[in-house]
């Protein structure tokens, strides 16, 4: 009787483990894209960089983490269909990423707030279309929006990231940013970013690297910016 009972329990355990494996997708060759609620939300504010910005960062306890070089290529569809929706599809050092606004978050602040997605399958679901695997095979349905290279210094202070960027034409920009995972965390992130900016004495500016490069490389796209972005450009 004990052997029969033990055998029955083992069979139930095997069935349970099989069900867990099926639900988790283990063994599947197709990755499950993250849902909207799982995507990262990047909260950042842009600043003009004073000459002594590094000294100021060091004084508040920030640490320099790394120096990198980035090559960004932003693409769009003819007619600037993504720009009109405030969607930004880019390849950074050949890796794809989409930044897009969250409809549940007020975008009318000193910060720019976007959800970030790096899974190609999830990006295609968000945009409801196929996206190129690289900038070398765009096809007739895609165009290059801007193409630029950046030297970046990454600094860190607790959960807050600070970046110091310089483009090839000498344009510089600072960003203070935090990544959160739910709209309810955005307000607190904004507060922490503004507190650090005030402590550093940094001056807010709306225009970022992409907008700077649009003016130089693709000014026709500027008229397609959403109203909120145009106000920030003014």
């Amino acid at each position: 009787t004990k052997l029969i009972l033990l055998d029955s329990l083992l069979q139930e355990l095997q069935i349970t483990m099989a069900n867990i494996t099926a639900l988790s997708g283990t063994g599947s060759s197709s990755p499950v894209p993250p849902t909207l609620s799982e995507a990262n939300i990047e909260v950042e504010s842009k600043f003009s960089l004073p000459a002594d910005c590094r000294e100021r960062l060091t004084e508040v306890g920030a640490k320099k983490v790394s120096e990198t070089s980035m090559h960004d290529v932003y693409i769009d569809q003819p007619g600037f269909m993504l720009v009109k929706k405030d969607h930004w599809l880019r390849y950074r050092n050949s890796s794809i990423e989409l930044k897009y606004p969250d409809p549940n978050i007020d975008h009318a602040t000193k910060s720019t707030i976007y959800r970030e997605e790096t899974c190609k399958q999830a990006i295609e679901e968000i945009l409801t279309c196929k996206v190129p695997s690289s900038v070398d095979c765009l096809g007739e349905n895609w165009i290059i929006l801007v193409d630029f290279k950046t030297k970046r210094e990454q600094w860190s202070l607790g959960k807050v990231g600070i970046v110091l960027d310089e483009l090839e034409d000498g344009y510089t920009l600072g960003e203070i940013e935090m990544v959160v995972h739910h709209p309810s965390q955005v307000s607190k992130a904004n507060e922490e970013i503004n507190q650090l900016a005030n402590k550093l004495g940094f001056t807010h500016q709306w225009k970022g690297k992409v907008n700077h490069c649009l003016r130089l490389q693709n000014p026709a796209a500027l008229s397609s910016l959403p109203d909120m972005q145009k106000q920030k450009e003014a």
Side-chain angles (χ1 to χ4, degrees):
T1 303
K2 291 182 178 179
L3 288 175
I4 293 173
L5 179 60
L6 179 60
D7 184 61
S8 176
L9 288 172
L10 286 172
Q11 289 182 11
E12 290 182 8
L13 179 60
Q14 290 173 346
I15 292 171
T16 300
M17 292 302 294
N19 288 337
I20 292 173
T21 299
L23 288 171
S24 64
T26 303
S28 172
S29 59
S30 300
V32 178
T35 63
L36 184 65
S37 61
E38 294 172 332
N40 290 334
I41 302 173
E42 181 189 63
V43 184
E44 70 174 30
S45 285
K46 300 175 176 63
F47 302 89
S48 57
L49 290 179
D52 63 343
C53 59
R54 292 167 183 81
E55 288 81 359
R56 297 187 192 189
L57 286 168
T58 302
E59 286 174 2
V60 300
K63 303 295 183 183
K64 184 177 177 180
V65 178
S66 63
E67 288 188 34
T68 57
S69 296
M70 305 181 303
H71 183 193
D72 287 334
V73 181
Y74 284 75
I75 67 171
D76 204 333
Q77 297 169 325
F80 309 118
M81 303 308 294
L82 298 188
V83 169
K84 289 176 180 177
K85 297 188 294 183
D86 200 14
H87 284 47
W88 303 93
L89 182 61
R90 76 180 177 203
Y91 296 84
R92 170 164 289 176
N93 296 336
S94 300
S95 296
I96 194 169
E97 180 179 28
L98 175 69
K99 289 191 174 187
Y100 60 102
D102 188 313
N104 299 314
I105 300 175
D106 181 14
H107 213 48
T109 67
K110 289 184 178 180
S111 300
T112 54
I113 305 165
Y114 289 101
R115 284 192 176 270
E116 297 180 319
E117 185 54 71
T118 56
C119 172
K120 184 172 180 289
Q121 181 182 346
I123 289 172
E124 291 178 339
E125 291 184 1
I126 294 167
L127 298 180
T128 65
C129 67
K130 292 289 184 181
V131 299
S133 56
S134 76
V135 294
D136 298 322
C137 54
L138 295 184
E140 62 181 13
N141 295 322
W142 295 91
I143 58 173
I144 291 179
L145 194 62
V146 287
D147 181 340
F148 58 91
K149 295 179 180 178
T150 309
K151 291 181 180 179
R152 166 166 289 186
E153 291 183 24
Q154 182 77 48
W155 292 64
S156 178
L157 182 62
K159 297 180 180 179
V160 182
I162 306 100
V163 298
L164 313 179
D165 286 343
E166 182 177 357
L167 302 187
E168 290 181 309
D169 64 3
Y171 179 79
T172 60
L173 176 74
E175 296 176 355
I176 301 178
E177 59 189 24
M178 292 185 69
V179 174
V180 299
H181 306 286
H182 193 274
S184 63
Q185 300 170 318
V186 169
S187 178
K188 178 64 174 177
N190 261 323
E191 183 179 327
E192 292 187 34
I193 288 172
N194 289 328
Q195 286 176 351
L196 179 56
N198 291 334
K199 193 173 184 179
L200 290 167
F202 283 4
T203 302
H204 280 277
Q205 71 175 50
W206 292 124
K207 187 172 68 173
K209 298 186 299 293
V210 175
N211 291 11
H212 170 76
C213 291
L214 279 175
R215 291 183 181 277
L216 298 175
Q217 301 178 23
N218 205 340
L222 291 174
S223 61
S224 297
L225 288 171
D227 290 340
M228 181 53 62
Q229 288 284 6
K230 289 179 182 177
Q231 291 174 21
K232 292 181 177 183
E233 277 289 291

